[in-house]
Amino acid sequence: MARLLDEFVPCADEVWRLQRGKGCESDVFRSFAEDGHYANRRGKSGTRQGIFVVTPKGDLLGSWNSRRPEVVERNLRAALREWKDLRRRERLPEEDLFEGVERPEDLYPEDGLALRVFTRDLPRPKGAELPDDWRARAWNIDHFWLTKSEAEALAQGRLPRAAAVRLARLHARDNVRGQTKPFPEESIRRADLRARVVKRRGRRVELELIGEIHVEESGTWSIDDQAPKTEQTRSFEGSLLGSAVWDGTRFTAFELALAGTRVGGTRYNERRDDLGPAPLGVVLQLAPDDDRVAPSLLWVYGWSR
């Protein structure tokens, strides 16, 4: 499989933005996403998730919605055969399809702080074990960004209220097994992250990070793609603990854990038979410099160029 992938340029993007957004990227995506494995489901499916093999010109060579290795390999080989049968003029566009495009990663905080966020279930008491299938191994990854002023404020003692609320709304949500919407701002009961100096050497400062998050929302929604809407409550309450190093201008080390109890489910997060209460864990770590993937819910930030 690794050798086969050398023949392709793998990439990933947020399908919801592409299938519903405006601009050339969304236009090109929709031009091929409605074919392939969605050809007979036009207008009947709320998502266009899947794997698409497309030429630089935008022509579809293959598509499917499966992560099974044998399915992926079979379809990649079929797409590669089609690609090799194409002449050069059939492969390349006559003009740049994406000239002047603006992307979420353009808002990357060059002088701020970019973190990777990992979410997973935590071990449960005996007798309340996780199911013996993929759900027991499920985890998710996202990103959390801070501006320069927000990072500086945290280094000086406390994360600003707006950023702490953003952290609670986006990363105290249970997306371990699937997508789920952000908590609304009015659901915030507590969102606080503080820093305490534990060692100082010149401009270099070692910090202890502590805080609390409590979010709770009640309303009417479905917890199953096929189920009707009913009265529901979802919540998370937990504590933050971590450490960081500030060199006077930026964080050079950052490790923060959020652990607590979650309750409830939403339409796409696969909790229909596991509403809790149950333990949930989140870890935030420095993102590598070459990781500029935008937070999945960047629109909640309200940032603009």
Side-chain angles (χ1 to χ4, degrees):
M1 180 69 76
R3 289 193 297 272
L4 180 60
L5 286 175
D6 287 340
E7 302 284 347
F8 298 86
V9 180
C11 62
D13 212 330
E14 171 51 51
V15 69
W16 191 259
R17 178 185 72 87
L18 289 174
Q19 71 186 47
R20 294 176 176 268
K22 297 179 180 179
C24 55
E25 283 187 305
S26 294
D27 292 341
V28 171
F29 176 77
R30 286 191 291 264
S31 72
F32 61 74
E34 295 300 327
D35 298 323
H37 63 285
Y38 286 109
N40 297 318
R41 298 169 60 187
R42 296 177 185 271
K44 297 180 181 179
S45 173
T47 183
R48 292 296 181 262
Q49 287 181 335
I51 300 174
F52 299 88
V53 182
V54 186
T55 70
K57 193 174 182 179
D59 293 331
L60 185 67
L61 298 179
S63 76
W64 61 95
N65 194 7
S66 173
R67 292 173 294 180
R68 293 171 55 192
E70 64 274 19
V71 174
V72 175
E73 181 183 9
R74 181 175 67 249
N75 284 290
L76 284 178
R77 291 192 183 281
L80 184 59
R81 287 194 295 271
E82 285 199 40
W83 167 257
K84 290 183 175 180
D85 287 340
L86 296 176
R87 288 170 291 186
R88 180 177 175 81
R89 67 174 180 271
E90 296 174 312
R91 296 178 175 183
L92 303 177
E94 296 179 0
E95 58 184 15
D96 186 353
L97 298 178
F98 305 112
E99 184 177 1
V101 67
E102 295 184 0
R103 292 187 51 80
E105 55 266 30
D106 294 339
L107 296 174
Y108 179 84
E110 297 284 356
D111 51 3
L113 177 64
L115 300 171
R116 281 179 173 173
V117 186
F118 301 90
T119 312
R120 58 161 292 176
D121 288 319
L122 295 178
R124 303 185 184 185
K126 189 173 182 179
E129 291 87 356
L130 287 161
D132 187 22
D133 56 26
W134 69 270
R135 292 172 292 178
R137 302 179 296 276
W139 58 279
N140 211 333
I141 183 172
D142 202 347
H143 294 76
F144 183 60
W145 287 352
L146 295 178
T147 64
K148 178 181 180 180
S149 62
E150 290 170 339
E152 290 175 340
L154 177 58
Q156 293 166 10
R158 188 182 295 272
L159 188 65
R161 171 68 180 174
V165 166
R166 197 166 72 235
L167 175 63
R169 292 185 64 194
L170 303 183
H171 301 301
R173 63 191 180 104
D174 173 20
N175 66 342
V176 173
R177 300 179 184 174
Q179 292 180 325
T180 194
K181 59 185 179 180
F183 279 98
E185 190 163 350
E186 59 270 22
S187 71
I188 306 299
R189 302 291 186 268
R190 184 170 178 79
D192 191 27
L193 179 59
R194 307 176 298 281
R196 182 179 69 88
V197 176
V198 294
K199 184 182 292 186
R200 187 187 300 272
R201 178 177 295 176
R203 300 185 66 187
R204 184 180 186 275
V205 181
E206 295 183 16
L207 301 167
E208 178 187 47
L209 305 174
I210 55 174
E212 302 82 30
I213 286 180
H214 182 193
V215 286
E216 185 170 331
E217 178 190 18
S218 294
T220 302
W221 63 79
S222 173
I223 57 171
D224 190 315
D225 199 22
Q226 307 299 322
K229 295 180 179 180
T230 55
E231 290 295 320
Q232 302 290 336
T233 294
R234 63 171 179 149
S235 66
F236 176 88
E237 185 171 7
S239 299
L240 292 151
L241 181 62
S243 62
V245 175
W246 176 259
D247 71 357
T249 59
R250 65 187 182 95
F251 283 105
T252 58
F254 196 100
E255 186 96 11
L256 180 65
L258 170 61
T261 301
R262 58 99 188 154
V263 172
T266 54
R267 186 175 181 182
Y268 297 119
N269 77 343
E270 298 289 339
R271 295 292 191 185
R272 66 185 69 87
D273 58 351
D274 186 19
L275 298 179
L280 181 74
V282 183
V283 171
L284 298 93
Q285 300 174 325
L286 277 182
D289 290 339
D290 61 353
D291 181 354
R292 299 194 168 212
V293 175
S296 63
L297 297 175
L298 184 62
W299 58 268
V300 173
Y301 285 53
W303 292 4
S304 59
R305 298 186 67 175

